[in-house]
Amino acid sequence: SLPDEMLFSSNWESSRKDVECVFGLMKGRFRILKIPSLLWYQHEIDNVFFTCAILHNILLEWDGLAEDWGLEDGDFDWEEEEAQLHFVTRSVS
């Protein structure tokens, strides 16, 4: 039905904008995401992006900006055996 399609389209557009915003921030911080990739395999490209995302989150805590992004102290336990990846976005009003 038309209202369901409009709701889906609206949600899709909102999510797409969030992803583009996060990727833009990441490209600004990590040059490797900005230049053409010399990597060939998808898993290598994924590893580069995940590494940048983890470093981004570490730098947020290091710079004391984690609270501005909706994180609290202790959200990241860097001593865990299995590190978990958290993508953090902030809403723009």
Side-chain angles (χ1 to χ4, degrees):
S1 70
L2 189 57
D4 289 339
E5 290 175 10
M6 290 176 58
L7 180 62
F8 176 81
S9 294
S10 175
N11 288 340
W12 182 270
E13 180 182 358
S14 176
S15 296
R16 184 183 56 80
K17 282 193 233 179
D18 290 343
V19 169
E20 287 179 3
C21 181
V22 168
F23 197 72
L25 290 169
M26 300 285 281
K27 281 174 39 176
R29 180 168 262 190
F30 301 103
R31 185 173 182 266
I32 193 167
L33 298 176
K34 197 172 194 174
I35 61 175
S37 177
L38 299 176
L39 302 174
W40 183 258
Y41 298 105
Q42 183 67 43
H43 71 276
E44 293 176 336
I45 297 167
D46 290 344
N47 286 341
V48 167
F49 184 77
F50 292 148
T51 301
C52 290
I54 291 168
L55 289 172
H56 171 74
N57 289 337
I58 291 171
L59 291 171
L60 285 178
E61 278 201 354
W62 182 275
D63 295 338
L65 300 174
E67 289 180 10
D68 295 343
W69 287 70
L71 302 174
E72 297 176 9
D73 287 337
D75 276 355
F76 301 107
D77 184 3
W78 306 117
E79 301 299 322
E80 287 183 10
E81 289 181 26
E82 294 182 19
Q84 295 182 5
L85 177 63
H86 300 275
F87 288 97
V88 179
T89 62
R90 61 179 167 185
S91 56
V92 179
S93 301

mmCIF file of all heavy atoms in Angstrom, residues 3-4 18-19 22-23 26-27 29 37-38 53-54 57 59 68 70-71 73-74 76-77 81-85 91 93:
data_model
loop_
_atom_site.group_PDB
_atom_site.id
_atom_site.type_symbol
_atom_site.label_atom_id
_atom_site.label_comp_id
_atom_site.label_asym_id
_atom_site.label_seq_id
_atom_site.Cartn_x
_atom_site.Cartn_y
_atom_site.Cartn_z
ATOM 1 N N PRO A 3 0.862 4.159 1.827
ATOM 2 C CA PRO A 3 1.445 4.679 3.078
ATOM 3 C C PRO A 3 2.630 3.841 3.572
ATOM 4 O O PRO A 3 3.606 4.387 4.072
ATOM 5 C CB PRO A 3 0.291 4.626 4.074
ATOM 6 C CG PRO A 3 -0.936 4.669 3.242
ATOM 7 C CD PRO A 3 -0.587 3.954 1.966
ATOM 8 N N ASP A 4 2.545 2.509 3.398
ATOM 9 C CA ASP A 4 3.655 1.649 3.813
ATOM 10 C C ASP A 4 4.894 1.921 2.968
ATOM 11 O O ASP A 4 6.018 1.947 3.476
ATOM 12 C CB ASP A 4 3.268 0.173 3.699
ATOM 13 C CG ASP A 4 2.265 -0.250 4.760
ATOM 14 O OD1 ASP A 4 2.175 0.449 5.794
ATOM 15 O OD2 ASP A 4 1.569 -1.258 4.541
ATOM 16 N N ASP A 18 22.404 8.813 7.191
ATOM 17 C CA ASP A 18 23.251 8.540 8.360
ATOM 18 C C ASP A 18 24.529 7.819 7.951
ATOM 19 O O ASP A 18 25.623 8.154 8.403
ATOM 20 C CB ASP A 18 22.500 7.709 9.403
ATOM 21 C CG ASP A 18 21.403 8.489 10.099
ATOM 22 O OD1 ASP A 18 21.418 9.735 10.028
ATOM 23 O OD2 ASP A 18 20.533 7.847 10.718
ATOM 24 N N VAL A 19 24.392 6.814 7.091
ATOM 25 C CA VAL A 19 25.560 6.053 6.631
ATOM 26 C C VAL A 19 26.505 6.963 5.857
ATOM 27 O O VAL A 19 27.725 6.926 6.060
ATOM 28 C CB VAL A 19 25.121 4.839 5.776
ATOM 29 C CG1 VAL A 19 26.307 4.210 5.082
ATOM 30 C CG2 VAL A 19 24.394 3.826 6.646
ATOM 31 N N VAL A 22 28.368 9.245 8.335
ATOM 32 C CA VAL A 22 29.421 8.533 9.067
ATOM 33 C C VAL A 22 30.609 8.257 8.149
ATOM 34 O O VAL A 22 31.757 8.454 8.541
ATOM 35 C CB VAL A 22 28.877 7.216 9.666
ATOM 36 C CG1 VAL A 22 30.006 6.338 10.175
ATOM 37 C CG2 VAL A 22 27.901 7.513 10.787
ATOM 38 N N PHE A 23 30.336 7.825 6.925
ATOM 39 C CA PHE A 23 31.445 7.546 6.018
ATOM 40 C C PHE A 23 32.211 8.825 5.681
ATOM 41 O O PHE A 23 33.442 8.805 5.572
ATOM 42 C CB PHE A 23 30.949 6.861 4.738
ATOM 43 C CG PHE A 23 32.039 6.198 3.981
ATOM 44 C CD1 PHE A 23 32.615 5.032 4.451
ATOM 45 C CD2 PHE A 23 32.523 6.751 2.814
ATOM 46 C CE1 PHE A 23 33.653 4.418 3.772
ATOM 47 C CE2 PHE A 23 33.551 6.155 2.115
ATOM 48 C CZ PHE A 23 34.116 4.975 2.601
ATOM 49 N N MET A 26 34.475 9.515 8.571
ATOM 50 C CA MET A 26 35.586 8.570 8.576
ATOM 51 C C MET A 26 36.605 8.922 7.483
ATOM 52 O O MET A 26 37.805 8.829 7.706
ATOM 53 C CB MET A 26 35.069 7.144 8.366
ATOM 54 C CG MET A 26 34.098 6.679 9.428
ATOM 55 S SD MET A 26 34.890 6.279 10.951
ATOM 56 C CE MET A 26 35.488 4.678 10.520
ATOM 57 N N LYS A 27 36.131 9.330 6.307
ATOM 58 C CA LYS A 27 37.037 9.718 5.233
ATOM 59 C C LYS A 27 37.856 10.952 5.629
ATOM 60 O O LYS A 27 39.009 11.084 5.241
ATOM 61 C CB LYS A 27 36.260 10.007 3.953
ATOM 62 C CG LYS A 27 35.841 8.773 3.214
ATOM 63 C CD LYS A 27 34.961 9.013 2.017
ATOM 64 C CE LYS A 27 35.271 10.188 1.185
ATOM 65 N NZ LYS A 27 34.431 10.321 -0.010
ATOM 66 N N ARG A 29 38.870 11.660 8.594
ATOM 67 C CA ARG A 29 39.820 11.314 9.635
ATOM 68 C C ARG A 29 40.900 10.342 9.158
ATOM 69 O O ARG A 29 42.037 10.397 9.621
ATOM 70 C CB ARG A 29 39.074 10.707 10.819
ATOM 71 C CG ARG A 29 39.968 10.310 11.964
ATOM 72 C CD ARG A 29 39.180 10.004 13.192
ATOM 73 N NE ARG A 29 39.192 11.188 14.032
ATOM 74 C CZ ARG A 29 38.755 11.241 15.275
ATOM 75 N NH1 ARG A 29 38.195 10.193 15.808
ATOM 76 N NH2 ARG A 29 38.825 12.335 15.966
ATOM 77 N N SER A 37 41.429 2.598 -3.564
ATOM 78 C CA SER A 37 41.935 1.416 -2.884
ATOM 79 C C SER A 37 42.786 0.567 -3.814
ATOM 80 O O SER A 37 42.446 0.347 -4.975
ATOM 81 C CB SER A 37 40.776 0.577 -2.359
ATOM 82 O OG SER A 37 41.262 -0.603 -1.773
ATOM 83 N N LEU A 38 43.883 0.091 -3.275
ATOM 84 C CA LEU A 38 44.729 -0.853 -4.004
ATOM 85 C C LEU A 38 44.419 -2.288 -3.577
ATOM 86 O O LEU A 38 45.053 -3.224 -4.049
ATOM 87 C CB LEU A 38 46.205 -0.541 -3.758
ATOM 88 C CG LEU A 38 46.666 0.851 -4.201
ATOM 89 C CD1 LEU A 38 48.118 1.079 -3.814
ATOM 90 C CD2 LEU A 38 46.482 1.004 -5.703
ATOM 91 N N ALA A 53 37.042 2.200 11.971
ATOM 92 C CA ALA A 53 35.915 2.421 12.886
ATOM 93 C C ALA A 53 36.343 2.217 14.334
ATOM 94 O O ALA A 53 35.978 3.000 15.228
ATOM 95 C CB ALA A 53 34.758 1.483 12.538
ATOM 96 N N ILE A 54 37.133 1.191 14.582
ATOM 97 C CA ILE A 54 37.618 0.938 15.945
ATOM 98 C C ILE A 54 38.537 2.069 16.399
ATOM 99 O O ILE A 54 38.413 2.579 17.522
ATOM 100 C CB ILE A 54 38.334 -0.429 16.014
ATOM 101 C CG1 ILE A 54 37.304 -1.560 15.847
ATOM 102 C CG2 ILE A 54 39.101 -0.583 17.321
ATOM 103 C CD1 ILE A 54 37.918 -2.923 15.608
ATOM 104 N N ASN A 57 36.514 5.113 17.333
ATOM 105 C CA ASN A 57 35.909 5.011 18.666
ATOM 106 C C ASN A 57 36.952 5.192 19.768
ATOM 107 O O ASN A 57 36.673 5.831 20.790
ATOM 108 C CB ASN A 57 35.189 3.675 18.820
ATOM 109 C CG ASN A 57 33.930 3.609 17.981
ATOM 110 O OD1 ASN A 57 33.365 4.628 17.623
ATOM 111 N ND2 ASN A 57 33.504 2.413 17.660
ATOM 112 N N LEU A 59 39.677 6.992 19.522
ATOM 113 C CA LEU A 59 40.018 8.413 19.532
ATOM 114 C C LEU A 59 38.929 9.259 20.178
ATOM 115 O O LEU A 59 39.224 10.274 20.806
ATOM 116 C CB LEU A 59 40.308 8.897 18.111
ATOM 117 C CG LEU A 59 41.593 8.344 17.499
ATOM 118 C CD1 LEU A 59 41.670 8.695 16.023
ATOM 119 C CD2 LEU A 59 42.814 8.842 18.246
ATOM 120 N N ASP A 68 29.821 13.323 23.862
ATOM 121 C CA ASP A 68 29.138 14.077 22.808
ATOM 122 C C ASP A 68 28.497 13.156 21.780
ATOM 123 O O ASP A 68 27.576 13.545 21.081
ATOM 124 C CB ASP A 68 30.123 15.005 22.084
ATOM 125 C CG ASP A 68 30.667 16.091 23.000
ATOM 126 O OD1 ASP A 68 30.067 16.324 24.064
ATOM 127 O OD2 ASP A 68 31.696 16.693 22.641
ATOM 128 N N GLY A 70 27.136 10.222 22.588
ATOM 129 C CA GLY A 70 26.168 9.354 23.244
ATOM 130 C C GLY A 70 26.778 8.142 23.916
ATOM 131 O O GLY A 70 26.087 7.185 24.219
ATOM 132 N N LEU A 71 28.073 8.176 24.179
ATOM 133 C CA LEU A 71 28.742 7.068 24.851
ATOM 134 C C LEU A 71 28.992 7.438 26.297
ATOM 135 O O LEU A 71 29.096 8.597 26.648
ATOM 136 C CB LEU A 71 30.081 6.757 24.173
ATOM 137 C CG LEU A 71 30.019 6.406 22.701
ATOM 138 C CD1 LEU A 71 31.434 6.276 22.149
ATOM 139 C CD2 LEU A 71 29.260 5.126 22.489
ATOM 140 N N ASP A 73 31.309 6.371 29.991
ATOM 141 C CA ASP A 73 32.545 5.716 30.421
ATOM 142 C C ASP A 73 32.293 4.231 30.580
ATOM 143 O O ASP A 73 31.279 3.815 31.119
ATOM 144 C CB ASP A 73 33.030 6.293 31.759
ATOM 145 C CG ASP A 73 33.599 7.686 31.600
ATOM 146 O OD1 ASP A 73 34.016 8.019 30.475
ATOM 147 O OD2 ASP A 73 33.621 8.431 32.587
ATOM 148 N N GLY A 74 33.226 3.452 30.090
ATOM 149 C CA GLY A 74 33.105 2.009 30.229
ATOM 150 C C GLY A 74 32.365 1.338 29.096
ATOM 151 O O GLY A 74 32.187 0.124 29.117
ATOM 152 N N PHE A 76 33.454 0.929 26.255
ATOM 153 C CA PHE A 76 34.459 0.145 25.561
ATOM 154 C C PHE A 76 35.390 -0.464 26.591
ATOM 155 O O PHE A 76 35.980 0.230 27.390
ATOM 156 C CB PHE A 76 35.271 1.016 24.593
ATOM 157 C CG PHE A 76 34.418 1.683 23.569
ATOM 158 C CD1 PHE A 76 34.158 3.043 23.649
ATOM 159 C CD2 PHE A 76 33.857 0.962 22.536
ATOM 160 C CE1 PHE A 76 33.367 3.659 22.702
ATOM 161 C CE2 PHE A 76 33.063 1.574 21.588
ATOM 162 C CZ PHE A 76 32.817 2.925 21.673
ATOM 163 N N ASP A 77 35.499 -1.764 26.574
ATOM 164 C CA ASP A 77 36.424 -2.459 27.452
ATOM 165 C C ASP A 77 37.558 -2.993 26.585
ATOM 166 O O ASP A 77 37.436 -4.027 25.944
ATOM 167 C CB ASP A 77 35.723 -3.608 28.178
ATOM 168 C CG ASP A 77 36.621 -4.294 29.182
ATOM 169 O OD1 ASP A 77 37.775 -3.848 29.357
ATOM 170 O OD2 ASP A 77 36.187 -5.283 29.797
ATOM 171 N N GLU A 81 38.835 -10.037 25.551
ATOM 172 C CA GLU A 81 39.502 -10.913 24.600
ATOM 173 C C GLU A 81 38.926 -10.736 23.211
ATOM 174 O O GLU A 81 39.640 -10.745 22.225
ATOM 175 C CB GLU A 81 39.363 -12.371 25.037
ATOM 176 C CG GLU A 81 40.188 -12.712 26.257
ATOM 177 C CD GLU A 81 40.051 -14.165 26.639
ATOM 178 O OE1 GLU A 81 39.755 -14.980 25.762
ATOM 179 O OE2 GLU A 81 40.241 -14.465 27.822
ATOM 180 N N GLU A 82 37.612 -10.593 23.125
ATOM 181 C CA GLU A 82 36.965 -10.388 21.838
ATOM 182 C C GLU A 82 36.433 -8.962 21.791
ATOM 183 O O GLU A 82 35.458 -8.645 22.451
ATOM 184 C CB GLU A 82 35.815 -11.368 21.641
ATOM 185 C CG GLU A 82 36.253 -12.809 21.532
ATOM 186 C CD GLU A 82 35.079 -13.731 21.288
ATOM 187 O OE1 GLU A 82 34.020 -13.245 20.848
ATOM 188 O OE2 GLU A 82 35.225 -14.924 21.543
ATOM 189 N N ALA A 83 37.099 -8.121 21.026
ATOM 190 C CA ALA A 83 36.654 -6.731 20.916
ATOM 191 C C ALA A 83 35.378 -6.671 20.091
ATOM 192 O O ALA A 83 35.208 -7.410 19.131
ATOM 193 C CB ALA A 83 37.742 -5.883 20.263
ATOM 194 N N GLN A 84 34.476 -5.821 20.491
ATOM 195 C CA GLN A 84 33.242 -5.643 19.750
ATOM 196 C C GLN A 84 33.292 -4.303 19.047
ATOM 197 O O GLN A 84 33.795 -3.323 19.583
ATOM 198 C CB GLN A 84 32.039 -5.695 20.689
ATOM 199 C CG GLN A 84 31.857 -7.044 21.329
ATOM 200 C CD GLN A 84 30.630 -7.067 22.209
ATOM 201 O OE1 GLN A 84 29.885 -6.103 22.259
ATOM 202 N NE2 GLN A 84 30.433 -8.157 22.896
ATOM 203 N N LEU A 85 32.757 -4.280 17.851
ATOM 204 C CA LEU A 85 32.760 -3.072 17.045
ATOM 205 C C LEU A 85 31.450 -2.337 17.251
ATOM 206 O O LEU A 85 30.381 -2.911 17.119
ATOM 207 C CB LEU A 85 32.938 -3.432 15.569
ATOM 208 C CG LEU A 85 32.904 -2.315 14.575
ATOM 209 C CD1 LEU A 85 34.057 -1.351 14.837
ATOM 210 C CD2 LEU A 85 33.000 -2.866 13.180
ATOM 211 N N SER A 91 22.911 12.239 16.210
ATOM 212 C CA SER A 91 21.833 12.804 15.394
ATOM 213 C C SER A 91 22.068 14.295 15.224
ATOM 214 O O SER A 91 22.534 14.974 16.122
ATOM 215 C CB SER A 91 20.484 12.538 16.053
ATOM 216 O OG SER A 91 20.482 13.039 17.367
ATOM 217 N N SER A 93 20.359 17.823 14.525
ATOM 218 C CA SER A 93 19.030 18.457 14.618
ATOM 219 C C SER A 93 18.912 19.592 13.626
ATOM 220 O O SER A 93 19.810 20.274 13.304
ATOM 221 C CB SER A 93 18.795 18.987 16.013
ATOM 222 O OG SER A 93 18.877 17.943 16.939
#
